[in-house]
Amino acid sequence: MLDTLGIVLIPSRAVTPHCGPGIHQWVRRSLAGKPLLDWLVRRMTEAQRLDGVIVVVGQAERELVPLVPLDVPVFVSSGEDPLARAAEAVREYPCHAAVLAGLESPLTDPELIDRLVVRARENAAADYVGYASEGEPERGRNLGVFAEWTASRALLHAAREATHPLDRMYVTRYIRRQTEKFSAGYLSLPAR
């Protein structure tokens, strides 16, 4: 069993209407000659504290698989929403915890990922660790450099219980909001 698995979640066209139909075209856009998806995957693989990285896609997003570097496994999920897909991935790739990043964070910082994992390991009871400033989780701000850490047990619990469409779409939303059920911790943003 892995300790910490990095998961890159590819959004589904069916459940991310706010992203618009061009989300998958956006993924193909190049930055310095590489697709944005490649940038995100490589940034995740550069993190020193992850035991492995996978890319999770749904059946309808299989055409994006060729954009994934060949040395990174792709898990094609049958889950109907991002939360179901993430839960299915941690069942298929058993791990104690997962670091989640999506296409809204193509420049996720590997050093910030490592800090998440270190903080989570310091608190064995943690269910969620993310970054926050001024009391608001940074993941929700779409700043493009942040990932989130969550315990697999919390992710699986959320996948069984969450019913609100936003909780299903934003994988850790249910965990962060159910403070009586889950232990959430936040790191302050590092100085520039």
Side-chain angles (χ1 to χ4, degrees):
M1 177 180 284
L2 299 175
D3 184 53
T4 308
L5 176 66
I7 298 177
V8 175
L9 285 168
I10 305 298
S12 165
R13 290 183 177 117
V15 296
T16 53
H18 64 285
C19 294
I23 185 67
H24 293 106
Q25 292 171 352
W26 182 78
V27 170
R28 289 183 169 93
R29 286 196 178 163
S30 290
L31 177 64
K34 292 192 291 189
L36 288 176
L37 178 57
D38 189 277
W39 278 97
L40 174 57
V41 171
R42 282 294 160 230
R43 303 292 286 171
M44 292 284 284
T45 61
E46 290 172 8
Q48 299 296 308
R49 305 278 181 176
L50 297 179
D51 298 312
V53 174
I54 64 169
V55 175
V56 178
V57 300
Q59 298 290 338
E61 292 73 42
R62 292 179 82 132
E63 81 273 3
L64 298 176
V65 171
L67 298 176
V68 178
L70 294 174
D71 61 329
V72 176
V74 176
F75 176 65
V76 180
S77 170
S78 60
E80 295 182 11
D81 55 61
L83 180 55
R85 291 176 182 184
E88 191 177 356
V90 299
R91 281 191 295 270
E92 183 70 20
Y93 293 82
C95 56
H96 293 290
V99 171
L100 305 161
L103 296 174
E104 70 280 0
S105 300
L107 301 177
T108 296
D109 188 322
E111 189 174 310
L112 295 179
I113 290 171
D114 289 339
R115 289 181 185 191
L116 285 175
V117 176
V118 167
R119 173 59 67 88
R121 287 180 180 164
E122 291 172 353
N123 180 2
D127 293 308
Y128 172 88
V129 179
Y131 284 95
S133 68
E134 302 168 10
E136 184 178 334
E138 288 299 327
R139 183 77 165 121
R141 292 187 185 192
N142 292 330
L143 293 179
V145 296
F146 298 102
E148 300 171 287
W149 179 97
T150 186
S152 293
R153 67 181 180 276
L155 189 60
L156 294 169
H157 184 98
R160 284 190 308 272
E161 290 194 1
T163 57
H164 192 282
L166 290 176
D167 290 338
R168 305 297 306 180
M169 187 180 334
Y170 300 105
V171 176
T172 61
R173 184 177 186 264
Y174 182 82
I175 297 166
R176 288 183 280 119
R177 295 171 61 92
Q178 299 292 322
T179 56
E180 69 283 352
K181 294 181 182 180
F182 302 106
S183 171
Y186 296 93
L187 290 166
S188 296
L189 294 178
R192 290 184 181 243

